[in-house]
Amino acid sequence: MRYLPLTEADRADMLARIGAPSVDALFVDVPETARLAGPVEGLPGHAGELAVERHMTRLAARNVNAGSVPFFLGAGAYRHHIPASVDHLIQRGEYLTAYTPYQPEIAQGTLQMLFEFQTQVARLLGCDVANASMYDGSTACWEAIAMAARITKRKKAILSSGLHPHYVSTVQTMARFTGDAIVYTAPELAAEPDTAALIGRIDADTSCVVVQYPDILGRIGDLSALADAVHAAGALLVAVVTEPVALGAIRSPGAMGADIVVGEGQSLGVGLQFGGPYLGLFATRDKYVRQMPGRLVGETLDAAGRRGFVLTLSTREQHIRREKATSNICTNSGLCALAFSIHMTLLGEKGLRALAAENHRLACRTADRLAKVPGVKLVNTAFFNEFALEIAGDARAVVRALAAKDVLAGVSLGRLYPDHSELAGGLLVAVTETVSEEDIEALAAGLEEALA
Amino acid sequence: MPRYFTDEHEWIEVDGDTATVGITDYAQSQLGDIVFVEVPDEGAVLTKGQEAAVVESVKAASDVYAPIGGTVVSGNQNLEEDPALVNSDAEGQGWFFKLTIADKGELDGLMDEAAYKAFVESL
C-alpha cells in the first residue's frame, strides 16, 4: 500500500472548513520561543530510499552480531537456539491476529493457543494458574508486588539484593506513584544468596518478599525456609525467574512455596531482539486468581457440549472495572507468547530437560576452565547457566578489551551497578547451548591476556 | 428487629448496637447469577458511603457501599465458598457483613420495608 499524503488542495479545504488561515495558525497557543523557527541544525536533508538503505546498512555493519562471535552475555536476556520452525509457524495466516481480541470467542484458535501457553507457564513455574502474559519480566515483577499489596493490604515490599537492578528500578519507579515502601540494598560478591538477611527484615508491615531465582549473580538457593518465614508474618513470597530454561533442571519456585511467580519468557522462542519486545510470565495460586492482573483464558463447553475457550474473570480488568481493575494492563504479548508456546511445544518436557542439562554442562565446563585463569575467582557455589566471577581488576575495562577482539565476555557488574565500586571486579558469564568449545577457549585466552 | 432499606438496594437489620448488611432480593434478581463476593475484614472501620464489599455476577461487578458507618464485626465467610447464597436467600443467609453501629442517627431517613417496596415498584 502506498502512503498518499494530503495535497495542498486537501489542506486548504480543511483549513477553510475550520476557519483557520494557515496550519501555523493552529499553533498560536504555543509561545513563540517554544516554536521551531526552521529546520533542525545538523540533520541531513531528505534522501532517497536507496541512499537511506545504504546508510543504514553501513551503520548496522558496525554492530557485532550475537551469533557471529563467542557470546557470553546474559543478565536477564539469553541467547538460545530457536528452531527455524518457530518463526515459520508464528507467521502462518491463522496466527496473524495474535493480539488478544475484545470480541474474543470468535477467535477460538487464538484462545486455545493462549490457554496452552498458560498451562505451560503454570506447570513450568510450579503454580496453579498463569495469565495470558504481560509486557516483560520487570513489569510483571511490579504487578506481583501490587497484587501482594492488594491481598495483604500492606504497603512494604522487601526486595532481595539478588533481584536484577533493572527490575529494581522499574519497581522503584512505579512505587513513587503508589506510595509503596521498597526495601532494597545492592548485592555483595558472596557465594550464597541473601536468604538469611531477607528473613531478618520481614516485619508485620511487609506485604511481600521478592527474590530472584536463579538470582542476578546466578546463585540458586532453597526458597522453602524463606517461604515459611514470609507466611508466618502474613506476607507473600514473590519469585522472579529471568531464565525459564533453568526450570528444566532445578525445582520450581511454586514447589518451594512461592505465592506469586513471575518471569521473563524471552529465553524460549523470542530471541534477543535488541532488548524487546519481550514476554512477561505471571502465575499464582488458585485462591488469589481474582487479584491477578492481566487477561485469562479458560476452558469450557459450548451449548452443544463441545470443548471451547473463553476469556474469563474479565471483571478484574480495566475495560470492565475501570479504575478499580487489578491492573492497567488490558492486553498481553500475544506474538511473543505464541513463539514461547510453540518453542516449548517443540521441545516437550524431555527436550526442555535435555536443553537445560546441556546449558548446565557447558556452564560447568566454562566455569572450570575460567577458574584456572590467574586473577579469576568463581563466586558461586551453585549456578545453572550463568555465574559470577571476581577478577583482579576492572571487569568493565576487561569486557571492553575483549570486545575489541570480538569476544563478548559477559556483563560487568560495574555496568549494572555503576555506583558500587566494590563490585567493579564482578563479571557475569552466561553459557547457553549456543556456546562451543572454541568459544570457551577464546574467552579463557582473552581473559588470560587481559589480566596478564 | 427493625429492618431498613437504602435506594442502593441494601438492607440493614439492627439488633442493639449491631447491624447486619446485605443486598436486597431485588438487587440479586437484577445482577443475575452471583459468582463472587468480597466482604470486608473484621475490624475494618467504615464510614457511611465508603466501599465495603464487591459483588460479582455473570453480568457485572458492583461495589457495595456501607449504608451506615461502623466497625466490621464479621464478614460472611460462607459467601466465599457459596456466593450463590446471595441469589437463593439475599435477605437471610446471603448477608454480607455485620458491624457495630457508630452513629444510630445515620439510620434516620432510610426506608422501611413498605417504603422500599413502593420504591422498587416505582422503578
Side-chain angles (χ1 to χ4, degrees):
Chain A
M1 193 176 73
R2 302 261 317 160
Y3 172 61
L4 299 171
L6 298 171
T7 63
E8 277 307 321
D10 292 336
R11 283 201 188 88
D13 235 23
M14 287 192 286
L15 288 169
R17 180 71 66 93
I18 61 172
S22 68
V23 173
D24 283 343
L26 299 174
F27 294 94
V28 289
D29 293 333
V30 178
E32 187 79 48
T33 50
R35 279 186 250 164
L36 194 59
V40 177
E41 266 178 63
L43 284 184
H46 293 234
E49 200 172 298
L50 181 60
V52 171
E53 188 188 302
R54 251 189 223 126
H55 177 71
M56 300 303 278
T57 307
R58 251 198 317 271
L59 286 180
R62 291 168 62 186
N63 289 328
V64 175
N65 289 325
S68 61
V69 296
F71 183 90
F72 297 90
L73 304 185
Y78 299 89
R79 177 174 178 248
H80 286 286
H81 170 69
I82 301 169
S85 41
V86 172
D87 266 354
H88 175 74
L89 289 170
I90 65 173
Q91 290 178 65
R92 285 185 59 101
E94 296 91 328
Y95 290 126
L96 283 181
T97 54
Y99 186 79
T100 62
Y102 287 95
Q103 172 56 55
E105 281 70 38
I106 203 144
Q108 283 293 309
T110 297
L111 293 186
Q112 177 167 359
M113 168 260 138
L114 290 172
F115 183 78
E116 289 176 8
F117 167 81
Q118 291 171 182
T119 307
Q120 289 169 339
V121 172
R123 291 185 62 183
L124 188 67
L125 303 182
C127 293
D128 301 325
V129 58
N131 73 14
S133 78
M134 317 216 70
Y135 297 136
D136 64 14
S138 70
T139 50
C141 177
W142 164 255
E143 289 284 349
I145 292 170
M147 176 171 152
R150 285 194 297 275
I151 292 170
T152 61
K153 302 191 170 69
R154 301 176 184 174
K155 297 200 92 166
K156 177 173 159 187
I158 298 171
L159 313 187
S160 160
S161 63
L163 181 62
H164 196 298
H166 296 170
Y167 287 40
V168 173
S169 39
T170 300
V171 167
Q172 286 169 336
T173 299
M174 297 300 285
R176 259 167 52 203
F177 302 100
T178 61
D180 288 71
I182 305 296
V183 180
Y184 169 75
T185 53
E188 290 168 26
L189 276 176
E192 300 291 336
D194 63 345
T195 316
L198 285 172
I199 290 175
R201 289 196 193 111
I202 302 168
D203 61 20
D205 298 325
T206 306
S207 63
C208 62
V209 171
V210 184
V211 61
Q212 186 175 317
Y213 172 88
D215 78 359
I216 183 68
L217 302 186
R219 301 173 300 193
I220 299 166
D222 188 340
L223 303 179
S224 312
L226 179 61
D228 290 345
V230 167
H231 294 151
L236 302 187
L237 179 62
V238 175
V240 178
V241 178
T242 58
E243 170 51 301
V245 174
L247 300 183
I250 58 177
R251 278 182 85 192
S252 70
M256 287 183 284
D259 302 283
I260 307 172
V261 185
V262 297
E264 174 51 66
Q266 167 274 332
S267 254
L268 287 158
V270 179
L272 292 168
Q273 313 200 129
F274 293 94
Y278 280 3
L279 171 66
L281 310 179
F282 197 109
T284 187
R285 296 180 190 277
D286 233 352
K287 65 173 171 179
Y288 298 137
V289 70
R290 282 172 188 280
Q291 291 299 337
M292 185 168 77
R295 314 224 89 187
L296 186 64
V297 177
E299 188 189 30
T300 188
L301 297 176
D302 71 6
R306 293 168 305 189
R307 186 187 192 216
F309 300 91
V310 291
L311 276 188
T312 193
L313 296 176
S314 300
T315 42
R316 299 167 294 110
E317 292 188 82
Q318 192 177 229
H319 62 290
I320 307 273
R321 295 242 53 207
R322 303 290 167 181
E323 79 280 7
K324 287 175 189 136
T326 53
S327 163
N328 66 337
I329 290 182
C330 217
T331 180
N332 72 339
S333 300
L335 187 60
C336 293
L338 176 67
F340 177 100
S341 225
I342 290 177
H343 194 180
M344 279 283 273
T345 306
L346 291 169
L347 284 168
E349 184 176 336
K350 262 192 198 162
L352 180 67
R353 286 188 192 283
L355 176 65
E358 179 64 358
N359 272 251
H360 187 55
R361 185 186 71 81
L362 283 164
C364 291
R365 169 87 194 81
T366 309
D368 286 347
R369 175 67 187 88
L370 298 182
K372 292 198 186 95
V373 175
V376 172
K377 198 182 111 200
L378 176 64
V379 172
N380 306 47
T381 46
F383 58 84
F384 169 59
N385 69 355
E386 185 168 28
F387 49 82
L389 298 176
E390 187 168 13
I391 62 177
D394 178 13
R396 217 168 172 178
V398 170
V399 166
R400 287 205 186 108
L402 266 75
K405 293 174 183 162
D406 279 350
V407 175
L408 300 181
V411 177
S412 69
L413 292 186
R415 185 184 175 88
L416 291 175
Y417 303 94
D419 302 328
H420 290 267
S421 56
E422 76 280 7
L423 297 174
L427 177 65
L428 299 180
V429 177
V431 189
T432 72
E433 74 286 354
T434 61
V435 163
S436 69
E437 289 292 329
E438 293 75 40
D439 293 341
I440 298 171
E441 212 33 63
L443 175 59
L447 279 176
E448 267 159 14
E449 197 181 325
L451 295 171
Chain B
M1 284 176 285
R3 202 173 259 236
Y4 300 87
F5 294 82
T6 73
D7 55 6
E8 298 275 348
H9 306 286
E10 292 154 308
W11 57 266
I12 305 116
E13 186 169 271
V14 177
D15 179 10
D17 284 339
T18 308
T20 304
V21 179
I23 65 169
T24 64
D25 194 56
Y26 173 80
Q28 73 75 22
S29 72
Q30 292 295 304
L31 287 166
D33 290 344
I34 287 164
V35 293
F36 179 68
V37 179
E38 188 187 311
V39 294
D41 289 337
E42 185 185 327
V45 179
L46 302 171
T47 54
K48 182 176 176 171
Q50 193 182 343
E51 287 161 27
V54 180
V55 57
E56 188 183 321
S57 73
V58 290
K59 284 191 200 162
S62 320
D63 292 306
V64 174
Y65 301 96
I68 52 172
T71 305
V72 176
V73 185
S74 63
N76 187 354
Q77 300 308 319
N78 293 332
L79 298 183
E80 196 173 314
E81 287 293 310
D82 190 8
L85 274 177
V86 181
N87 290 120
S88 58
D89 193 10
E91 298 184 21
Q93 299 275 306
W95 60 276
F96 277 32
F97 56 91
K98 292 179 194 286
L99 49 72
T100 308
I101 303 169
D103 173 11
K104 282 202 168 176
E106 287 180 351
L107 293 165
D108 296 344
L110 295 181
M111 288 176 268
D112 63 12
E113 189 149 15
Y116 178 70
K117 207 173 159 210
F119 169 66
V120 168
E121 274 163 11
S122 73
L123 293 175

